[in-house]
Amino acid sequence: MISRTEIILSAKNGVLDTLYSSKVEQRIREKYSLGAQIALIRQKDEKAEEFEAFNTFAENAKKEIKAIINKTLKEAFGEGYKWEHLS
């Protein structure tokens, strides 16, 4: 999914936000195609339960990727290092 090397190089090059975003998108697309995502967003009122499941999955994907990044950074650079995604 995401390698230690990718994280460390992205941190050193100042592109962790880009890596984070691409890995979150990748994780979501493992379950929901882009077309399925658009359809769920468009029909969120009519398909509220399906939309909620999708949204929960997406939020959990964000938390999962962020946790992996922060764990790797702490292992590589020490406990004091913590990255916060800007958006």
Side-chain angles (χ1 to χ4, degrees):
M1 175 189 270
I2 183 170
S3 74
R4 176 181 169 86
T5 303
E6 283 179 297
I7 294 168
I8 293 169
L9 288 176
S10 293
K12 288 182 177 180
N13 292 319
V15 293
L16 271 175
D17 283 352
T18 302
L19 177 68
Y20 167 82
S21 295
S22 70
K23 294 301 180 178
V24 168
E25 288 175 20
Q26 179 183 355
R27 177 73 179 106
I28 293 169
R29 286 189 183 155
E30 288 173 4
K31 184 168 182 175
Y32 297 94
S33 69
L34 184 56
Q37 292 177 52
I38 292 168
L40 284 167
I41 292 167
R42 280 186 32 255
Q43 299 172 342
K44 69 180 181 180
D45 294 331
E46 295 85 10
K47 297 183 177 185
E49 286 182 27
E50 289 178 52
F51 175 77
E52 187 58 36
F54 159 72
N55 196 51
T56 298
F57 183 85
E59 291 301 317
N60 287 337
K62 291 164 61 175
K63 289 176 188 173
E64 174 188 349
I65 300 301
K66 190 174 191 175
I68 291 168
I69 289 172
N70 276 319
K71 180 178 184 276
T72 302
L73 292 173
K74 284 180 183 177
E75 290 170 355
F77 301 118
E79 280 298 318
Y81 195 99
K82 184 169 182 174
W83 165 79
E84 289 291 332
H85 181 56
L86 299 177
S87 64

